[in-house]
Amino acid sequence: MKWNKKDLLGIRELTKEEILFVLDSADSFKDISKREVKKVPTLRGKTVITLFYEPSTRTRTSFEIAAKRLSADTINISASTSSYIKGETLKDTAKNLESMKPDAIVIRHSMPGAPHMLSKYMKSSVINGGDGAHEHPTQALLDLFTIREKKNRIDGLNITIVGDIAHSRVARSNVFALRHFNTHITLCGPPTMIPHDIESLGIQVEYNVEKAVQDADVIMMLRIQKERGGIAYIPSIKEYSSIYGLKTEHLKRAKKDVIIMHPGPMNRGIEISDEVADGPYSVILDQVENGVAVRMATLYLLIGREI
Ligand code: CP
C-alpha cells in the first residue's frame, strides 16, 4: 500500500487499509524496543518537536522515545515553557516553529481542531496528540494494535467502552477506528455522559455496567474528564464509582479471556478498582508498551519515506 498523507490529524480520515497499514508497520517496529541497542538510523537527520499545551505522561514520552529509537532529534515544548504564556497565538507559534524547519510536530491542545489549524501553516507533518474532546488518533491505533495482538483479530469482537464517553477523545477515535471492523461496540456511562443519537451509528448504549460487560471480549475503561467539566455531569464521584466503577465481580459476566484496557491516566478506586487494574486480565501496560511501536510506525510513515 502507498502511504501518501502528510499529517495524522484524526482516525476519522483514515481508511481501514490505512489503519491496518499502520498496525502492520508497528509490528515490525516493536522488536526494536526489545533489543539491547534500541536504536535504528531510519530517521537520522530528521527533527521531531512535541508541542504540548496539556499535561501528558504517556503520549509525549512515547513519541519522544519513538523518535529517539529511530535516531531523530527531538525537542519538547510545553505550554509553561513556551511564549504562549506571553500571549503568542498558535498561528504565530506554528509559523515560527516552521521557520526552524522541523520535519514533524506532535501537538496536544485543549482546543478541538488545533492540529488541523497548525497543519494549514506548516509544511512539516502534524500529528494530533489529542485535541480537546475531539480525537486522539495514535491512542486508538495503539488500542487496536493491542486488541489485535491479544485476540489475534479485531473483527467479530464485542467491545465495551465505559465512562465519560461524551468528553473523551479516546472514545471518539476508537469508535471511528472500530467501525471499520465487524465489531459490536457498546458504550456505557451515565446518560449525561453519552452523546445524543449515538445509537443511530449502530452502536449499542447501555446505562447498566452489568449488562454492558456481558460477553465482552474487550472492556475499555475511561476516566471522568474533569478538565472538560465532566464532574458537573454526575451527582458525585462516590455514586459514579459505585455504579460505573469496574470491579472484579463484573468480570464474571464477560468472556473468560476478556482483556481490560485503559488509556491512562487511571483514577484508581473511581472508574477501576486496584484488583482489576493490576489483575490478570489487564493489558494496560501492554498498551503503553505498544504505544512506542505505533508511534515509531506513525513517524516512519509520515516523515521516513518518500511520498
Ligand atoms: N493516554 C494518554 O493520552 O495519556 P497521557 O495523557 O499521559 O498522554
Side-chain angles (χ1 to χ4, degrees), residues 192-193 224 229-235:
T192 48
M193 288 179 165
I224 300 168
I231 218 88
Y233 291 76
I234 51 168

Side-chain angles (χ1 to χ4, degrees), residues 52 55-60 108 129 136 139 169-170 263-265:
F52 274 51
S56 168
T57 300
R58 284 145 289 267
T59 311
R60 198 200 60 70
R108 170 169 289 188
H136 193 349
Q139 180 67 45
R169 56 197 177 205
V170 175

